[in-house]
């Protein structure tokens, strides 16, 4: 009986160990994960439209154009360009003098200019069309600037190129393009190292002298007409004098003859 109990205990222990071994070798069950909520993607936002082209901001970013910027703002030319660039398709080309270019001017030059002349000076540096560097080789001179008429003696501006060198002359100033500041197909800004001085402002030609008044023909005719009249007056006096003398002589002769007859 005791032997049977030992056998049953051995069987139970063997069964329990087998069960535990089987459970230990079995892979662990994957944890239950709650399903994730579906992600809803918002539509991609379109890029913001580019802001209006601002010449002064372009020059400020480039640096060394503070005097030119100040004059553009003071003369309201900056606002005019902002309107032109964002409301028309004509394009603009600017020859921007550096600060050192203005420093090389004679002391007091800018202060001696009137408000109107300052506007013309800034506008003389602006071409109302877009010019790429390649177009400098084919343009026709003189160029018309925003200052007005390009005729000789007013606002002539001539641009010529030789290889990579672009030369500019105003009749008083000779300089060249020293670099490209900005270009986008509508606006081109080129740096120059001298201020372009137009003839109309810095060397105005005096007006032609008025022709001397011609001597009146009527006066000449009157002078000619007066001469015979004077001569006739003098002659009449001589005739009267001669006749008076003759009458006196005739009277004396008659008296003498009468005395002799007695």
């Amino acid at each position: 009986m005791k032997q049977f109990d030992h056998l049953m205990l051995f069987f139970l222990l063997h069964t329990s160990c087998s069960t535990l071994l089987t459970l230990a070798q079995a892979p662990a069950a994957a944890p239950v994960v709650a399903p994730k909520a579906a992600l809803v993607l918002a539509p991609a936002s379109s890029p913001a439209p580019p802001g209006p082209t601002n010449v002064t901001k372009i020059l400020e970013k480039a640096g060394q154009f503070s005097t030119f910027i100040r004059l553009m703002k003071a003369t309201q030319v900056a606002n005019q360009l902002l309107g032109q660039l964002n409301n028309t398709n004509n394009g603009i080309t600017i020859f921007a003098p550096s600060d050192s270019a203005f420093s090389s001017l004679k002391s007091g030059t800018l202060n001696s200019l009137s408000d109107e002349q300052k506007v013309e000076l800034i506008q003389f540096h602006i071409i109302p069309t877009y010019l790429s560097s390649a177009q400098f080789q084919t343009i026709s001179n003189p160029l018309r600037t925003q200052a007005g008429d390009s005729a000789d003696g007013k606002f002539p501006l001539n641009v010529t190129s030789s290889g990579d060198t672009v030369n500019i002359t105003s009749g008083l100033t000779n300089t060249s393009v020293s670099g490209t500041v900005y270009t986008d197909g509508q606006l081109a800004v080129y740096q120059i190292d001298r201020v372009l001085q137009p003839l109309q402002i810095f060397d105005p030609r005096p007006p032609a002298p008025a022709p001397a008044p011609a001597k009146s023909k009527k006066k000449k005719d009157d002078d000619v007409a007066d001469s015979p009249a004077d001569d006739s007056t003098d002659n009449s006096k001589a005739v009267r004098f001669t006749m008076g003398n003759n009458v006196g002589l005739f009277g004396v002769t008659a008296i003498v003859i009468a005395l002799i007859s007695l």
Side-chain angles (χ1 to χ4, degrees):
M1 187 66 181
K2 291 182 178 180
Q3 186 177 3
F4 178 77
D5 292 337
H6 289 160
L7 288 174
M8 285 295 295
L9 181 60
F10 176 79
F11 177 75
L12 292 173
L13 289 173
H14 178 73
T15 302
S16 298
C17 289
S18 297
T19 302
L20 292 173
L21 183 61
T22 301
L23 291 173
Q25 291 177 347
V32 179
V33 180
K36 293 182 179 180
L39 295 177
V40 179
L41 298 178
S45 58
S46 58
T53 304
N54 191 312
V55 176
T56 56
K57 288 185 177 180
I58 291 171
L59 292 172
E60 286 171 355
K61 184 177 180 179
Q64 66 181 344
F65 296 102
S66 59
T67 304
F68 191 56
I69 294 170
R70 176 172 57 81
L71 287 171
M72 289 181 67
K73 291 180 177 180
T75 58
Q76 300 298 314
V77 173
N79 293 336
Q80 295 173 9
L81 290 178
L82 187 63
Q84 286 180 259
L85 289 170
N86 295 285
N87 296 312
T88 66
N89 296 319
N90 294 335
I92 293 290
T93 300
I94 301 175
F95 296 116
S98 61
D99 290 335
S100 60
F102 282 99
S103 298
S104 64
L105 290 175
K106 185 179 178 181
S107 178
T109 296
L110 294 179
N111 292 333
S112 67
L113 302 180
S114 65
D115 291 342
E116 181 181 359
Q117 289 174 328
K118 289 178 181 178
V119 172
E120 293 173 338
L121 176 63
I122 297 303
Q123 290 179 333
F124 188 60
H125 292 75
I126 302 171
I127 309 299
T129 54
Y130 172 80
L131 294 175
S132 66
S133 56
Q135 289 177 293
F136 288 133
Q137 301 178 3
T138 58
I139 57 176
S140 300
N141 288 309
L143 289 178
R144 181 178 179 84
T145 69
Q146 286 198 339
D149 195 350
S150 59
D152 184 32
K154 293 188 177 180
F155 295 99
L157 189 67
N158 294 281
V159 178
T160 58
S161 63
S162 177
D164 295 332
T165 303
V166 178
N167 299 306
I168 307 173
T169 179
S170 69
L172 292 175
T173 305
N174 295 313
T175 187
S176 59
V177 173
S178 57
T180 300
V181 178
Y182 179 87
T183 180
D184 63 2
Q186 185 187 20
L187 170 66
V189 182
Y190 301 101
Q191 178 179 337
I192 55 177
D193 296 326
R194 294 191 66 187
V195 177
L196 299 173
Q197 301 181 45
L199 291 169
Q200 181 73 4
I201 298 175
F202 294 96
D203 187 27
R205 299 185 178 183
K215 193 173 183 179
S216 174
K217 183 177 179 181
K218 184 175 182 302
K219 185 175 181 181
K220 289 182 179 180
D221 294 342
D222 292 344
D223 292 344
V224 172
D226 289 344
S227 298
D230 294 341
D231 293 343
S232 62
T233 302
D234 294 339
N235 291 337
S236 62
K237 291 179 180 179
V239 169
R240 286 196 298 273
F241 179 76
T242 303
M243 290 180 63
N245 291 340
N246 290 338
V247 170
L249 180 61
F250 178 77
V252 172
T253 304
I255 293 172
V256 171
I257 293 172
L259 293 175
I260 293 174
S261 300
L262 294 175

